Amino acid sequence: QVHLVESGGGSVQSGGSLTLSCTASGNTASTNCMAWFRQAPGKEREAVAALYVTIGRSYYADSVKGRFTVSQDKAKYTMTLQMNNLRPEDTGIYYCAAGHLVQPANHWAVMNQYTTWGQGTQVTVSS
């Protein structure tokens, strides 16, 4: 089993920055992809960004391209999401997820591809 612990988040004004981290422990060898999803009040959970950790390739939702950057520290099995130029519509609970995906390039944004989820961390962006 894989266990995920998230940190970071908080409140910031529009245009500000925040950093989220997710550290995986346990049977990390079973994981080839880690991702961030978010859920705004009254909306469905959506994919934000992902890392194909095996080869270090990243994927982004169109809404965050150019503003968010996902990176990894493989030694610590930690994934970091640097969020810049935040907007009110970025507000929500951000969840870290991990799994072993077939063709991550095609399926990184699909929720049911991930078998382990973090507890979530709140991000609030005020205008």
Side-chain angles (χ1 to χ4, degrees):
Q1 273 189 325
V2 176
H3 182 59
L4 301 175
V5 176
E6 300 150 342
S7 60
S11 297
V12 67
Q13 288 191 328
S14 183
S17 299
L18 286 172
T19 303
L20 305 181
S21 293
C22 175
T23 299
S25 60
N27 187 21
T28 55
S30 65
T31 296
N32 70 349
C33 195
M34 296 177 70
W36 289 99
F37 286 75
R38 68 185 180 190
Q39 188 165 18
K43 294 189 177 182
E44 293 187 353
R45 194 171 298 188
E46 63 177 0
V48 175
L51 263 177
Y52 185 2
V53 297
T54 308
I55 61 174
R57 185 164 293 169
S58 56
Y59 310 98
Y60 298 94
D62 287 343
S63 60
V64 305
K65 280 181 181 177
R67 301 187 298 123
F68 290 12
T69 303
V70 64
S71 59
Q72 66 177 123
D73 180 338
K74 291 189 75 173
K76 298 180 180 179
Y77 236 93
T78 296
M79 175 179 63
T80 299
L81 182 67
Q82 177 63 42
M83 305 184 292
N84 297 327
N85 192 19
L86 283 161
R87 305 166 180 169
E89 53 265 39
D90 294 318
T91 294
I93 300 175
Y94 282 66
Y95 298 90
C96 178
H100 188 89
L101 277 62
V102 176
Q103 297 182 337
N106 296 329
H107 301 125
W108 70 271
V110 181
M111 280 182 56
N112 64 19
Q113 295 291 304
Y114 297 89
T115 52
T116 303
W117 292 81
Q119 78 283 1
T121 185
Q122 177 71 44
V123 170
T124 303
V125 184
S126 58
S127 57

